[in-house]
Amino acid sequence: MASAAPATNTGESYGTPGYRAYVLGSLTLIYTLNFVDRILISVVGRPIIEEFNLSNFQFGILTGIGFVLFYTSLGIPIARLSERVSRVRIIGVCVILWSIATILCGFAVGFVTLLLARLAVGVGEAGCTPPANSLISDYFTAATRPMALGIYAMGVMLGGVLAQLGGGAILNLFTWREAFIYIGAPGVLIGIILLMTVKEPPRGYSDPPQAKPAEKATLREAMGQVSRSKTFWYIALGMSLATFGGYGLTSFKSLYIQYTFGLTPGDAAIQYMAPISLSGAIGAPLAGYLIQRFSPRFNLAAVWVPAVGFLLSAPLLALGFLAESLPVMFAAFLLAGVFQYFYIGASYSVVQTVVDQRTRATAIAILLFIINLIGYGGGPPILGALADSISVMRLEALGLGSELTAACSPNDANLSAALQENCLDAKAYGIRWACVVGSAVFLLAGLIYFWASRYYMAEKML
């Protein structure tokens, strides 16, 4: 739809209440699809690995840097573009693009073609959140925006759970290829409907009439302010480590459950990974409550609460990967999921208080670039490479180094029953100990957050 007139600053919400609810629901649905299509590959990972004879390192590339490369690098340019052209068009086109790319994943014939499709998914998904946040800010007044943005943010939780439930259900009936096709196809229709039914509001429509744009800081000023903040860089480092461990473990947790306890990919997704994903949604609001509760007594609560969350989640995650009992593993992962995500909202809040209002957006953009590229991009392939190395050592210790590799398939009909069993044992062993190492990363993240608290009060501007 064509862009509307310039900003009018009416101080009123745009459109009727019913229409605003429709727009917000549409954007939340699209954000949910964003995460469903992003996470789906981890749900259907095992049959892909076995069909293409992939190593854990290669699978880590597909779940990590293969998606993040363009998703991260295009985020800021698309955000800038959304300030000048129709945000509805950007979102609609990008939904259609990443949905088609998701469908194409189902037609991949090997590692390279699947990697190219994943890169295309990242290109499309880069055009979702920046323009969507901007749209919501023009549809809703300042007083109602927090609730609207909170509803939109539910897409993260809903996407993670639906990817597990939907992908797992399809795997129990069809193959991994149909999972990509059936889950990707609705996005094309939803993108078209968005383009046809959602209006582009005037920019600044819901801002108060007296509101004036804040004086813009130059890029040099913004970078200078960020570079001088020790709090910012320690938080960025801690978040990068948490993202490194979080996405790395997420990529291999389902595989570990399947290899160790004999579950099918579909059952592992529905019975275990979906509830574990849901537990993570409890952590962020719980952390917000704790910070609000303790801040009057402890000035550093905003930094200490996520630090404590990291220190609690690390041993619980390690316990989950070392547990010999499925119920113990499940309970440990559920509880770890709550503490693991204490840091998300708190960290963004801390970063925005150590820079002035003119540079907050730039500071968050820099933060996201760092943690996505290092954490999301690096975590899965590095943990995958470590798992491969440990699996090889296991095979060599068993005297099977010349017969099996880290990319062996436990279902390979060309292997004897004994070799299939040894292959499964080595893969489970490699992922277990690589993920135990990945769990320890949260301990380091917690210590770094405590170190950041030494500078927070001196640099705090609010």
Side-chain angles (χ1 to χ4, degrees):
M1 302 183 74
S3 296
T8 54
N9 289 52
T10 66
E12 300 176 358
S13 296
Y14 184 77
T16 64
Y19 184 70
R20 286 195 301 276
Y22 167 75
V23 172
L24 181 59
S26 299
L27 294 176
T28 302
L29 174 60
I30 286 170
Y31 196 38
T32 300
L33 291 177
N34 183 294
F35 271 81
V36 170
D37 292 352
R38 182 186 310 189
I39 296 170
L40 180 60
I41 191 168
S42 296
V43 181
V44 299
R46 183 173 180 178
I48 292 174
I49 290 171
E50 293 179 352
E51 180 171 336
F52 295 151
N53 294 317
L54 302 180
S55 65
N56 288 317
F57 173 66
Q58 290 175 306
F59 183 64
I61 290 176
L62 293 173
T63 59
I65 194 67
F67 169 81
V68 171
L69 183 62
F70 288 133
Y71 175 76
T72 300
S73 59
L74 292 176
I76 295 175
I78 290 179
R80 296 292 300 274
L81 181 65
S82 67
E83 295 174 353
R84 298 188 296 272
V85 303
S86 169
R87 294 159 292 184
V88 173
R89 286 178 179 169
I90 292 175
I91 297 171
V93 169
C94 285
V95 174
I96 295 170
L97 172 60
W98 91 58
S99 298
I100 291 174
T102 300
I103 294 171
L104 291 177
C105 288
F107 293 92
V109 295
F111 172 75
V112 173
T113 51
L114 186 53
L115 176 60
L116 292 173
R118 285 288 291 170
L119 288 168
V121 173
V123 171
E125 295 201 1
C128 177
T129 294
N133 274 271
S134 179
L135 269 180
I136 291 170
S137 293
D138 283 337
Y139 266 96
F140 294 86
T141 62
T144 58
R145 277 175 209 158
M147 178 62 74
L149 289 170
I151 292 172
Y152 174 77
M154 289 174 60
V156 177
M157 175 194 70
L158 294 173
V161 174
L162 290 178
Q164 301 292 340
L165 294 176
I170 293 173
L171 277 179
N172 283 338
L173 297 173
F174 303 103
T175 72
W176 66 268
R177 295 182 182 278
E178 281 83 2
F180 280 113
I181 294 168
Y182 294 161
I183 289 179
V188 177
L189 179 60
I190 290 171
I192 294 172
I193 293 174
L194 181 88
L195 289 170
M196 295 175 63
T197 61
V198 173
K199 299 176 182 178
E200 177 77 13
R203 296 180 190 273
Y205 184 92
S206 297
D207 289 335
Q210 68 275 16
K212 296 180 180 179
E215 179 187 353
K216 293 184 179 180
T218 65
L219 182 59
R220 171 183 259 181
E221 289 175 321
M223 291 295 294
Q225 202 174 110
V226 167
S227 66
R228 289 190 296 270
S229 173
K230 292 181 179 179
T231 303
F232 174 89
W233 290 107
Y234 280 118
I235 293 296
L237 177 58
M239 288 188 74
S240 295
L241 289 171
T243 308
F244 177 98
Y247 279 109
L249 298 184
T250 298
S251 294
F252 296 103
K253 194 177 290 180
S254 181
L255 289 172
Y256 175 75
I257 294 172
Q258 296 166 46
Y259 291 151
T260 304
F261 298 104
L263 275 73
T264 65
D267 288 343
I270 295 171
Q271 297 175 24
Y272 294 94
M273 291 304 297
I276 291 169
S277 298
L278 188 60
S279 74
I282 300 173
L286 177 58
Y289 167 77
L290 293 173
I291 291 170
Q292 183 175 333
R293 174 78 180 273
F294 290 110
S295 287
R297 295 175 55 193
F298 303 101
N299 291 331
L300 298 173
V303 187
W304 284 354
V305 167
V308 171
F310 288 141
L311 298 183
L312 291 173
S313 65
L316 286 168
L317 287 165
L319 172 62
F321 286 107
L322 294 173
E324 298 296 333
S325 162
L326 191 54
V328 172
M329 177 216 71
F330 187 42
F333 283 159
L334 282 174
L335 193 54
V338 175
F339 295 125
Q340 181 182 338
Y341 293 102
F342 268 16
Y343 75 99
I344 296 181
S347 300
Y348 292 131
S349 177
V350 166
V351 166
Q352 292 189 74
T353 61
V354 297
V355 297
D356 68 38
Q357 63 177 352
R358 301 179 307 146
T359 58
R360 286 176 193 159
T362 302
I364 293 297
I366 294 171
L367 181 67
L368 288 172
F369 181 85
I370 294 170
I371 64 176
N372 280 328
L373 195 60
I374 296 176
Y376 196 169
I382 291 175
L383 283 187
L386 179 60
D388 287 338
S389 298
I390 296 173
S391 293
V392 168
M393 288 190 288
R394 178 76 163 180
L395 291 170
E396 290 176 348
L398 295 172
L400 299 172
S402 60
E403 297 181 71
L404 295 173
T405 69
C408 66
S409 171
N411 297 322
D412 188 346
N414 295 319
L415 299 178
S416 66
L419 287 178
Q420 288 179 350
E421 184 176 347
N422 284 314
C423 171
L424 181 64
D425 171 76
K427 293 176 84 71
Y429 186 84
I431 291 177
R432 162 180 279 176
W433 287 105
C435 288
V436 169
V437 172
S439 302
V441 169
F442 289 97
L443 290 176
L444 183 56
L447 295 176
I448 289 172
Y449 267 63
F450 276 121
W451 194 264
S453 69
R454 299 180 59 189
Y455 307 99
Y456 177 53
M457 291 308 298
E459 296 181 349
K460 189 177 179 182
M461 294 186 181
L462 293 176

